[in-house]
Amino acid sequence: MNTSATELTRFHDFVSTLLAQGRAGLLPEDVLDAWREEHPRDDEHELNDGLDDEQAVLEAIAERDAGHRGTPVDEVMERISREFGLHNPRKPS
């Protein structure tokens, strides 16, 4: 069984356990939140860098106020198109 199928089976078992415990009134979002709380993904901290969204926005605003202009969109689009082998719509063909 592949990883996705295994995880879905484990999730199914988790939901079955909740139902057996009489927690049938939970909304799907509540069940998913409970699952994520008990089964955190290994890469979640890597995706978030440990900052919540509000903190990240506040830091970006502070950088802008300090004069940092960021990376020009054309440079970012070129890097993404090279990295993933995609057409850059901002670059003439």
Side-chain angles (χ1 to χ4, degrees):
M1 193 178 310
N2 67 32
T3 303
S4 295
T6 301
E7 188 168 9
L8 286 172
T9 299
R10 289 176 57 214
F11 182 72
H12 179 269
D13 294 343
F14 177 77
V15 173
S16 296
T17 299
L18 292 178
L19 293 172
Q21 293 171 346
R23 299 177 66 186
L26 289 173
L27 295 172
E29 293 84 8
D30 298 329
V31 173
L32 188 55
D33 287 343
W35 168 263
R36 288 180 173 152
E37 196 171 300
E38 289 188 26
H39 302 88
R41 291 178 42 175
D42 293 336
D43 60 348
E44 278 184 358
H45 71 282
E46 294 171 15
L47 296 174
N48 195 357
D49 275 342
L51 299 176
D52 64 6
D53 294 339
E54 181 182 5
Q55 182 64 34
V57 170
L58 292 173
E59 287 184 14
I61 291 170
E63 287 178 9
R64 184 206 59 206
D65 290 346
H68 180 37
R69 305 226 352 126
T71 306
V73 70
D74 289 333
E75 185 179 319
V76 172
M77 292 297 292
E78 183 60 28
R79 186 174 349 137
I80 290 171
S81 65
R82 267 195 326 269
E83 184 174 339
F84 295 102
L86 302 171
H87 168 70
N88 181 350
R90 298 183 61 89
K91 186 177 183 179
S93 299

